[in-house]
């Protein structure tokens, strides 16, 4: 017989032999939206579920499990964590842009390209975090951005492509220009676009 | 080209203008950046920012400006943004080397750089020899330099950039070597000059060979590692060409059965290891500043003296010794031998063993004072030379910075600071010689080694084929003996006595003034300690100034005193380059201490020189 705990409290749930975690989690999340909380961890028979969105977990029947423990946190906490992550990406990306630009302008292209690779990495992570944050906001019907971040993300991809082309052409001046005069202001705009940076939701 | 640019170039660099007007350039489009300032793309990449070139130039030049160098040397003019910024930052001495005529032509057609280029101490060069000549002319060994380049120039003109960096470094180092030589050698030269007075009385000056060898081939033999490759050919030339060996090549030549007609030496220290035990018949050309032992045990009739323009004593007195010829000197005896070759009237002048670069695991030909050598090249540490020196038991290990020089095969060769200095001098000499219309053929027959711009580079076999007439009898020895017989001269003893007597008197006066100045400086120090910077100190200061004027006036009678003071002179120049302190009192104290140092040195020099002058007078009056 399965035992289900939500934040340490026993949860009485009625289900059939056919009920899978897909239906169970979906229903539970709907309820949690009202309470502005979100699941952050699931332990199945004492083991952490690594891929909560994966079929392996979602298609499992509840009857096959012995114990399920779900951990939730208030939405505000999630948003703040995500915003914090975005800010850290922003700081990192801006620092790496500055270092890449300086190195490229001074002719230290090897060093410049190392920082450039880090810019690409941080930009990728920033884009993913922003997309998740935007999804979360939409799900909970909270406006976290002044404008949908998609347009910024499109610009980001375009700029990164231009930078990649300049680098491949061996044009260090243009690469540094695009980093300093295009990408850096874009990152600033993306920062401003996130309302969560201004006040907590 | 814009008229303003054209007018400036015509005035400051007409040769470059001519090149730019010759046509056939790759077109370069000058674009407007987002800020409106010009930029361009060349070989597929931008050379300035497409957004704000002036702002970028400001950032790039910040580091150069902060160095506060005496000269800034830029690799690449571009649209002149960095040069403009440097001038705005009050950098007044600027050399700009633009490697591309394509870029230069396009930029000068669209961008008005006349304001920059018209500045007195702003120079624009395009060719490497032009840059080298300018650097040699303008840079002083005491000058600090800042070299700057931008990423695109370094990227597109990688090879030219390497040459540029080497050349700037080499010229700058040459200047510093000159100062180092001054500091290390001048006092010894003066001492040797006085010690050599009896020899100068006895031996003939080299002047007696002036124009004695009209159209006789001269072979100047250096001791470079390549000498091994063609030294045997000298046997064929003996008697039909004048063979003049540097002292370091002397023993290697003897070892190979060749006796040079002359050996030239100028070492200020005693180096008996350069000679053999039984070389009383050696015919020597010695500098007046050579170590006195070089003259010892030599036959007077086989020893000839030359006088150096680098020594005030010689400039003043050479004519009294019967000499009016001062060989130009590039720091080695072979450079002086080269100048002597022209004075002798020789044609062609041929070099062998003049590598000016490291050989394979060797710095010198075998048989020289260096025994077995082992060279380890390390890009970080330079070159480490392990060698067995003839005089020492243990292996000697020395480390040298690496310098690079263009080889005869156009590749860069590893070289040493002193060889680079000589190389610079040879090229400079050749340039001046040709400019003066001298047509003497100068052939570098060194097998490998450095390429010397301005000289022909031909194998020694060619020289023999062209210039040696095997059907004619040997004639060189006769010409030497004839010259010795004809060229007797007299030494002007009264003039020398008068000159040294003036020195003696001036030394007395100078010492007295220096002591008075020191006394006043001490009084000033006491006054400072008692009441700080006070108007009452002015009297002592004025007196110091009066004594200084008298002392300086007196040194005009004995100019070599400043040479004996050379180390202090350079220290003062360094001191004067330092920033003034904000604390006036501290600054005044520092100035006072520097002043004391100067006059303490002057007294020491007077004490040192007085017995030398006395000795000279005794020699001359007694003789």
């Amino acid at each position: 017989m399965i035992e289900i705990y939500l934040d340490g409290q026993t949860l009485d749930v009625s289900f059939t032999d056919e009920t899978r975690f897909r239906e169970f989690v979906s229903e539970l999340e709907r309820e949690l939206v009202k309470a502005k909380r979100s699941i952050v961890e699931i332990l199945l028979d004492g083991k952490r579920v690594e891929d909560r969105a994966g079929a392996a977990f979602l298609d499992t029947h509840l009857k096959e499990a012995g114990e399920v423990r779900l951990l939730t946190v208030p939405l505000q906490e999630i948003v703040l964590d995500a915003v914090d992550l975005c800010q850290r990406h922003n700081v990192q990306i801006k620092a790496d842009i500055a270092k890449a630009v300086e190195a490229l302008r001074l002719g230290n292209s090897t060093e410049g390209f190392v920082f450039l690779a880090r810019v690409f990495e941080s930009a990728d992570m920033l884009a993913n975090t922003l997309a998740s944050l935007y999804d979360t906001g939409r799900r909970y019907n909270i406006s976290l951005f002044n404008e949908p971040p998609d347009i910024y993300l499109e610009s980001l991809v375009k700029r990164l492509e231009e930078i990649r082309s300049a680098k491949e052409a061996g044009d260090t001046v243009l690469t540094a220009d695009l980093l300093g005069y295009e990408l850096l202001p874009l990152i600033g705009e993306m920062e401003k676009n996130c309302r969560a940076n201004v006040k907590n939701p | 080209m814009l008229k303003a640019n054209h007018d400036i170039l015509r005035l400051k660099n007409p040769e470059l203008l001519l090149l730019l007007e010759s046509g056939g350039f790759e077109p370069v489009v000058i674009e407007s950046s987002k800020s409106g300032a010009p930029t361009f793309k060349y070989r597929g990449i931008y050379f300035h920012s497409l957004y704000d070139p002036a702002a970028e130039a400001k950032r790039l030049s910040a580091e150069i400006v902060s160095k506060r160098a005496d000269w800034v040397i830029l690799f690449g003019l571009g649209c002149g943004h960095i040069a403009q910024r440097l001038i705005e930052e009050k950098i007044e001495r600027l050399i700009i080397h633009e490697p591309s005529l394509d870029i230069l032509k396009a930029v000068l057609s669209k961008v008005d750089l006349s304001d920059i280029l018209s500045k007195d101490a702003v120079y624009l060069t395009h060719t490497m020899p032009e840059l080298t000549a300018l650097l040699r002319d303008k840079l002083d060994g005491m000058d600090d330099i800042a070299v700057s380049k931008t990423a695109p120039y370094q990227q597109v003109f990688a090879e030219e950039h390497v040459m540029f960096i080497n050349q700037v470094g080499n010229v700058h180092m040459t200047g510093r070597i000159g100062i180092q030589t001054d500091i290390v050698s001048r006092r010894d030269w003066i001492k040797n000059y006085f010690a050599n007075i009896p020899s100068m009385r006895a031996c003939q000056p080299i002047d007696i060979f002036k124009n004695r060898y009209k159209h006789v081939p001269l072979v100047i033999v250096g001791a470079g590692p390549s000498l091994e490759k063609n030294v045997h050919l000298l046997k064929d030339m003996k008697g039909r060409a004048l063979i003049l060996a540097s002292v370091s090549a002397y023993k290697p030549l003897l070892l190979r059965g060749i006796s040079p007609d002359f050996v030239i030496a100028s070492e200020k220290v005693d180096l008996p290891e350069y000679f053999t035990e039984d070389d009383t018949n050696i015919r020597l050309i010695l500098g007046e500043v050579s170590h006195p032992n070089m003259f010892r045990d030599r036959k007077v009739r086989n020893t000839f003296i030359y006088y150096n323009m680098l020594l005030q004593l010689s400039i003043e007195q050479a004519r009294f010794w019967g000499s009016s010829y001062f060989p130009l000197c590039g720091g080695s005896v072979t450079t002086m031998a080269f100048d002597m070759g022209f004075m002798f009237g020789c044609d062609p002048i041929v070099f062998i063993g003049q590598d000016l670069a490291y050989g394979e695991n060797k710095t010198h030909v075998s048989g020289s004072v260096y025994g077995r050598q082992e060279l380890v090249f390390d890009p970080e540490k330079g070159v480490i030379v392990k060698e067995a020196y003839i005089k020492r038991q243990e292996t000697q290990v020395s480390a040298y910075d690496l310098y690079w020089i263009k080889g005869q095969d156009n590749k860069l060769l590893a070289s040493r600071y002193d060889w680079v200095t000589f190389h610079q001098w040879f090229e400079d000499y050749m340039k001046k010689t040709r400019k003066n219309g001298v047509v003497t053929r100068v052939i570098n027959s060194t097998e490998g080694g450095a390429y010397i711009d301005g000289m022909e580079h031909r194998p020694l076999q060619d020289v023999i084929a062209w210039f040696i007439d095997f059907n004619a009898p040997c004639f060189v020895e006769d010409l030497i003996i004839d010259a010795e017989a004809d060229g007797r001269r007299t030494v002007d003893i009264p003039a020398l006595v008068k000159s040294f007597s003036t020195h003696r008197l001036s030394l007395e006066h100078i010492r007295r003034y220096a002591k008075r100045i020191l006394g006043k400086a001490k009084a000033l120090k006491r006054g400072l300690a008692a009441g700080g910077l006070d108007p009452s100190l002015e009297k002592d200061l004025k007196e110091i100034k009066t004594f200084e004027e008298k002392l300086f006036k007196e040194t005009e009678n004995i100019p070599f005193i400043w040479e004996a003071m050379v180390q202090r002179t350079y220290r003062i120049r360094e001191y004067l380059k330092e920033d003034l302190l904000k604390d006036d009192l501290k600054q005044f104290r520092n100035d006072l201490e520097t002043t004391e140092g100067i006059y303490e040195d002057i007294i020491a020099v007077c004490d040192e020189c007085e017995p030398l002058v006395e000795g000279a007078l005794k020699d001359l009056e007694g003789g």
Side-chain angles (χ1 to χ4, degrees), chain B residues 518-561:
Chain B
L518 273 181
K520 290 290 161 196
K522 282 191 173 49
L524 273 173
K525 269 177 136 178
R526 283 195 298 273
L528 269 183
L533 269 177
D534 189 88
S536 65
L537 304 177
E538 210 169 309
K539 187 172 160 271
D540 287 331
L541 274 172
K542 267 188 184 162
E543 281 181 281
I544 286 183
K545 206 169 167 239
T546 309
F547 287 130
E548 277 187 332
E549 279 166 9
K550 286 182 179 173
L551 185 146
F552 287 140
K553 182 86 190 139
E554 199 63 51
T555 60
E556 287 171 13
N557 295 325
I558 179 167
F560 76 83
I561 198 163

Side-chain angles (χ1 to χ4, degrees), chain B residues 305-485:
Chain B
I305 295 188
Y306 64 86
Y307 293 83
N308 275 284
M309 216 181 333
L310 298 168
L311 200 68
Q312 284 294 335
L313 267 168
S314 300
I315 292 172
E316 185 187 343
Q317 297 182 342
R319 60 202 156 112
F320 306 144
W321 298 111
S323 176
S324 59
Y325 166 71
F326 296 98
L328 295 175
C329 175
S332 70
V333 284
T334 45
T335 59
M336 283 185 283
F338 185 34
D339 190 71
M340 283 174 197
F342 284 93
M343 189 266 277
F344 294 169
C346 296
D347 190 1
I349 299 173
V350 182
F351 283 97
I352 60 170
Q354 196 62 42
D355 296 51
L356 304 171
Y358 289 104
E360 242 174 73
N361 234 7
K362 269 183 188 175
T363 58
H364 290 76
V365 64
S366 62
S368 71
V369 289
Y370 302 101
R372 224 173 67 81
Q373 290 187 309
E374 192 189 325
L375 272 57
V376 182
F377 291 93
D378 182 326
E380 298 289 318
K381 293 177 189 159
V383 59
I384 295 160
V385 181
K386 291 179 190 169
E387 60 199 2
Y389 191 77
I390 200 167
K391 252 171 49 172
R392 300 186 186 100
Q393 294 293 319
E394 73 282 9
T395 303
Q396 199 176 328
V397 181
S398 322
Y400 300 95
D401 286 340
L402 269 178
Y403 291 86
W404 299 94
I405 213 164
K406 193 169 104 177
Q408 290 185 34
D409 57 0
N410 253 334
K411 289 181 185 154
L412 284 176
L413 291 177
S415 182
R416 210 170 65 186
Y417 65 96
D418 45 353
W419 301 332
V420 165
T421 309
F422 311 150
H423 179 258
Q424 298 266 331
W425 185 88
F426 279 125
E427 289 196 343
D428 206 24
Y429 189 101
M430 285 310 300
K431 198 174 175 189
K432 284 177 188 154
T433 305
R434 295 299 177 231
K435 205 174 170 182
N436 292 337
V438 178
V439 292
T440 305
R441 288 185 78 170
V442 180
I443 303 167
N444 185 6
S445 294
T446 303
E447 296 271 343
Y451 176 84
I452 303 174
D453 197 33
M455 293 185 187
E456 291 176 56
H457 290 77
R458 295 281 181 181
L460 195 58
Q461 288 96 327
D462 287 358
V463 173
I464 294 171
W466 293 337
F467 300 102
I468 303 298
D469 179 3
F470 288 105
N471 294 321
C474 294
F475 59 92
V476 167
E477 188 65 24
D478 292 340
L479 281 175
I480 294 171
I481 292 163
D482 286 351
E484 287 167 18

Side-chain angles (χ1 to χ4, degrees), chain A residues 105-106 170-171 177 181-182, chain B residues 46 49-51 56 149 155:
Chain A
R105 296 258 189 238
L106 291 174
D171 194 333
D177 267 355
Y181 290 103
E182 297 288 351
Chain B
Y46 276 100
S49 170
L50 193 57
Y51 290 75
E56 293 312 327
K149 47 72 179 133
Q155 191 178 331

Side-chain angles (χ1 to χ4, degrees), chain B residues 226-292:
Chain B
S226 72
L227 185 60
E228 211 90 62
K229 296 176 189 168
N230 53 7
V231 65
H232 58 282
L233 297 172
L234 282 182
K235 280 186 181 166
D236 296 340
M237 302 179 88
K238 179 72 184 167
R240 294 181 174 89
L242 193 64
I243 299 172
L244 200 168
S246 69
V247 66
S248 49
Y250 173 56
K251 276 167 80 171
L253 285 181
L254 289 186
L255 202 68
R256 290 157 178 88
I258 297 151
S259 178
D261 298 305
F262 289 105
V263 175
I264 181 166
S266 176
E267 274 63 22
K268 68 185 171 73
V269 290
D270 192 16
L271 295 169
E273 63 271 27
Y274 277 85
F275 301 96
T276 62
E277 281 174 15
D278 182 28
D279 54 14
T280 45
N281 285 324
I282 185 175
R283 195 176 279 124
L284 275 168
I285 301 174
L286 293 175
E288 83 288 35
V289 294
S290 307
H291 192 275

Side-chain angles (χ1 to χ4, degrees), chain B residues 108-300:
Chain B
L108 294 178
S109 302
K110 295 282 179 192
V111 188
D112 183 356
L113 294 176
S114 57
D115 265 2
I116 300 172
L117 299 176
S118 62
K119 304 273 178 218
D120 282 347
V122 173
Y123 301 92
L124 177 63
T125 64
H126 164 63
T127 64
M128 207 46 78
E130 190 190 0
L131 171 73
T132 310
L134 185 71
L135 292 169
R136 282 179 193 146
D137 185 37
K138 301 295 170 193
L139 255 61
D140 174 313
M142 292 285 286
D143 284 338
D144 296 321
I145 59 167
V147 179
S148 177
K149 47 72 179 133
T150 57
Y153 269 105
Q154 191 184 4
Q155 191 178 331
V156 173
F157 303 103
E159 208 175 297
E160 291 88 341
H161 183 249
V162 170
M163 293 300 280
F164 166 84
I165 290 291
N166 277 329
Q167 206 61 3
V168 172
N170 290 352
V171 174
H172 192 226
M173 186 267 307
T174 301
R176 281 181 288 142
I177 294 285
I179 291 174
Q180 197 56 28
T181 307
D182 259 4
I183 291 173
V184 173
S185 303
R186 284 223 177 252
R187 277 172 109 138
D188 289 336
W189 288 345
I190 292 169
K191 280 183 199 163
N192 287 353
Y193 181 96
F194 280 102
N196 288 333
I197 283 176
S199 302
M200 290 192 271
R201 282 188 77 170
C203 301
Q204 293 274 37
I206 193 74
D207 303 47
I208 63 164
F209 297 113
K210 191 171 182 179
N211 291 327
R212 281 282 166 173
Y213 303 99
K214 282 268 181 202
H215 308 299
V216 173
L218 166 67
V219 184
I220 298 171
V221 188
S226 72
L227 185 60
E228 211 90 62
K229 296 176 189 168
N230 53 7
V231 65
H232 58 282
L233 297 172
L234 282 182
K235 280 186 181 166
D236 296 340
M237 302 179 88
K238 179 72 184 167
R240 294 181 174 89
L242 193 64
I243 299 172
L244 200 168
S246 69
V247 66
S248 49
Y250 173 56
K251 276 167 80 171
L253 285 181
L254 289 186
L255 202 68
R256 290 157 178 88
I258 297 151
S259 178
D261 298 305
F262 289 105
V263 175
I264 181 166
S266 176
E267 274 63 22
K268 68 185 171 73
V269 290
D270 192 16
L271 295 169
E273 63 271 27
Y274 277 85
F275 301 96
T276 62
E277 281 174 15
D278 182 28
D279 54 14
T280 45
N281 285 324
I282 185 175
R283 195 176 279 124
L284 275 168
I285 301 174
L286 293 175
E288 83 288 35
V289 294
S290 307
H291 192 275
N293 287 357
M294 295 253 185
F295 291 90
R296 206 164 288 164
D297 303 328
R298 310 280 176 220
K299 283 183 183 162
V300 162

